[in-house]
Amino acid sequence: MRLGLIAGNGRFPFLVLGAARAAGDEVTIIAIKEEAFPALEQLAERPPRAALHWVSLGQLGKWLSIMKDARVTRAVMAGQVKHTKLFTDIVPDMTALGVLMKLKARNTDAIVSAVAEVLKDNGITLLDSTTYLTPLLAKEGLLTRRAPNVDEQADLEFGYAVADAIAGLDIGQTIAVKSAAVVAVEAMEGTDAVIARAGQLAGSGVRVIKVAKPKQDMRFDVPVVGVSTIEAMQATGATLLSVDAGRTLMIDGDAIFKAADEAGIAIVGRRCGP
């Protein structure tokens, strides 16, 4: 099968590329110039070689041209594109401009859904971004040695409704709470920045809740946590991380739980759906 990999930043694209190759797919990589790590180029050169093209974020027409030339019929988005890029670095070509002009809102869901429709119109199916990474999805229940204490559990019960509401409005997917109060809410700045701000505002003892959107489209903007998340929490004295089971990528695998255990941080996977 011919697969198009649209790569943002982080380790996520590296993992998808490796898994796609293991599955026997022929991969063409569109690496977003403003985001993708240079090391992706070296990995693409390893046998079996994957064609790699560096393309700017707003060059949607070029994305389509590359994938058509490679006879790509399926595509997967991997890695992060910072939301702030919408206001700073994007220079849209005529194809992207046509998409943007039709939007009533420029939040993540609206923009990427519109891109997915353009791909579909050109015979390219956008797959779930977790297609090749199912083993890295968070499991349900306690994921670390230490379980939440009574106060932490109370903060979770308080925070879930707030986090779900914020995510449902496509504002952000992470909140920090302490003593039944919302300390910080994610917008465009990203999870680690929210954790750092929460520590500055409330000191140690913050609980971090990261959720999927109520109607999460698994093709894009899937919640992701890694060892860096635990390191950010440890730096501020945050004690608990909750993620949504089956809808959150634990991108560093067991290394996340090892880091959390060493830091005394509890991680739980919230059950989602029926």
Side-chain angles (χ1 to χ4, degrees):
M1 299 292 288
R2 297 180 183 272
L3 176 76
L5 170 61
I6 303 169
N9 68 22
R11 290 187 56 215
F12 193 177
F14 297 80
L15 295 173
V16 173
L17 175 58
R21 281 172 159 171
D25 285 320
E26 184 178 338
V27 182
T28 296
I29 305 170
I30 296 174
I32 297 175
K33 283 183 180 180
E34 297 83 359
E35 293 285 4
F37 289 175
L40 188 58
E41 192 162 323
Q42 297 176 356
L43 188 61
E45 288 291 335
R46 296 178 185 174
R49 184 179 179 277
L52 183 143
H53 306 267
W54 290 96
V55 184
S56 288
L57 182 58
Q59 294 180 301
L60 181 57
K62 191 170 182 178
W63 296 13
L64 293 172
S65 177
I66 290 168
M67 285 191 273
K68 284 181 178 180
D69 288 345
R71 290 178 292 167
V72 165
T73 56
R74 303 181 305 154
V76 61
M77 291 185 174
Q80 181 188 47
V81 173
K82 297 182 183 67
H83 297 184
T84 53
K85 298 290 183 182
L86 297 176
F87 300 100
T88 55
D89 294 338
I90 185 170
V91 180
D93 62 12
M94 293 305 295
T95 305
L97 188 60
V99 170
L100 292 171
M101 289 179 66
K102 293 177 183 178
L103 296 178
K104 294 181 180 180
R106 293 195 179 185
N107 54 24
T108 304
D109 278 359
I111 292 174
V112 188
S113 292
V115 171
E117 284 301 310
V118 173
L119 293 175
K120 181 179 178 181
D121 291 343
N122 285 271
I124 301 166
T125 300
L126 186 61
L127 304 177
D128 286 0
S129 59
T130 60
T131 297
Y132 296 92
L133 302 177
T134 301
L136 294 180
L137 287 171
K139 303 296 190 297
E140 181 181 338
L142 180 64
L143 304 177
T144 49
R145 288 198 298 262
R146 187 178 76 79
N149 60 34
V150 173
D151 291 340
E152 289 170 331
Q153 189 62 47
D155 275 343
L156 288 184
E157 293 171 2
F158 162 78
Y160 281 141
V162 178
D164 288 338
I166 297 299
L169 293 171
D170 199 16
I171 293 172
Q173 294 172 289
T174 304
I175 67 168
V177 301
K178 181 178 179 180
S179 302
V182 176
V183 177
V185 174
E186 179 186 31
M188 289 189 174
E189 71 274 41
T191 302
D192 290 357
V194 172
I195 294 170
R197 190 170 77 248
Q200 293 170 356
L201 292 171
S204 61
V206 166
R207 337 309 184 177
V208 178
I209 301 174
K210 191 171 186 69
V211 300
K213 297 167 188 173
K215 296 181 180 179
Q216 179 71 49
D217 190 328
M218 297 299 285
R219 297 176 299 174
F220 51 82
D221 208 27
V222 175
V224 177
V225 299
V227 170
S228 65
T229 311
I230 303 303
E231 291 172 345
M233 293 179 63
Q234 185 176 15
T236 60
T239 64
L240 172 67
L241 172 65
S242 173
V243 296
D244 279 1
R247 298 183 184 180
T248 306
L249 279 169
M250 313 299 283
I251 208 66
D252 292 312
D254 290 342
I256 298 175
F257 310 124
K258 182 176 183 294
D261 284 335
E262 291 175 352
I265 294 171
I267 304 178
V268 296
R270 180 177 69 151
R271 179 180 180 181
C272 294

